[in-house]
Every structure is written in structure tokens, then in C-alpha cells.
Amino acid sequence: MSEYERSRTMPAQPEHVFDQAANVGQLDAWLPDALHVRVEEPPAVTVHEDHTDQATSALMRAEREQMRIEWGTRDQGSYAGWLQVSGIGGGASEVTVHLSFFEDSHDPGERAALEALDDSLRRLEDQVRMRVEYASG
């Protein structure tokens, strides 16, 4: 089993960050470029990976009261993950993303996983900034 985790501070209230992260219609805007999520009957989703051209059945749950999103494969239990948003004061938030790979065949390796997490958090921050600027402008 392999586990990877990254955090990033974002200049927005935790509710704004969580709402953007949990917006299933805009997941492709911040997830790694090679992953695409299609919502079925919640919490069921299908995740398509461009590199392998495979679609995987998964579950995704967003708990606004806890500011937490959890996901994982449905049938084979290959991977799971979570995103947690925490307020840190001054109108800022910290977002932590954690991935667990239970099968080596799904583990992209440490370097690729950490780069994907960093890129996804950067893209999420960009989406949050656009939303906050649009709301205030």
C-alpha cells in the first residue's frame, strides 16, 4: 500500500473552497488532466483515466458539515482518498488531499502522485480565486 498527501493554503473562506472542490460539475477544472469524473446516481461516479483509457466505478461523498470529500473505487478497492478543508483564520483556508493506493497497478509512483496532488491543489486555488473575485467584482 502507498499513501501520498499534500496541503496548500488558499486565500478564501473554507466554505468557498469546499463548495468549489465539491462542485461535481467542475471537478475536471482542478483534478489531474488525465482524470474525468462522470456523476451517475450519487454517490456513484465513474472515473475515466486517459492514460489507460479505462473507466472505473467509484463512490464520492461530500460532507459539507465536516468540509470533507471522500472517494474510492467501488468494486475492486484499488484506491481511496479524501480532501479536507480547514479554516485557518484571516479569511484563509488549508486544503489537504490524501491518496491511498491498495494495489500497485494503480499506484503512479511517489513523484507522479505528489506532482499530480500539487498541480490539482494549484488548479483548485485558481478556481477558488476566480470564484471569489467574480463574487466580489
Side-chain angles (χ1 to χ4, degrees):
M1 182 170 116
S2 300
E3 298 191 70
Y4 307 104
E5 186 171 294
R6 283 293 208 235
S7 296
R8 186 176 184 105
T9 300
M10 299 193 185
Q13 295 291 336
E15 296 81 8
H16 294 202
V17 175
F18 179 82
D19 288 347
Q20 185 64 45
N23 183 338
V24 294
Q26 294 185 350
L27 290 174
D28 284 358
W30 67 271
L31 287 176
D33 288 332
L35 294 179
H36 309 282
V37 177
R38 185 180 77 235
V39 178
E40 295 174 7
E41 190 164 329
V45 297
T46 298
V47 179
H48 183 269
E49 186 176 350
D50 289 346
H51 297 303
T52 62
D53 198 30
Q54 291 183 337
T56 304
S57 296
L59 299 172
M60 185 179 113
R61 288 190 178 90
E63 298 291 337
R64 193 169 202 285
E65 302 81 34
Q66 298 172 350
M67 298 286 162
R68 186 175 179 94
I69 303 168
E70 296 179 345
W71 61 87
T73 50
R74 218 179 336 171
D75 302 324
Q76 66 272 42
S78 305
Y79 64 86
W82 51 263
L83 178 144
Q84 181 72 52
V85 180
S86 303
I88 56 174
S93 303
E94 181 175 63
V95 180
T96 301
V97 180
H98 182 95
L99 298 175
S100 299
F101 294 95
F102 306 113
E103 294 180 2
D104 289 341
S105 62
H106 279 83
D107 184 354
E110 182 176 19
R111 182 176 177 198
L114 294 178
E115 285 176 0
L117 289 174
D118 286 338
D119 187 52
S120 291
L121 287 169
R122 181 192 52 77
R123 291 171 62 185
L124 177 58
E125 181 179 2
D126 290 346
Q127 293 297 309
V128 168
R129 281 182 190 273
M130 285 191 302
R131 180 180 175 184
V132 170
E133 289 171 6
Y134 178 77
S136 66

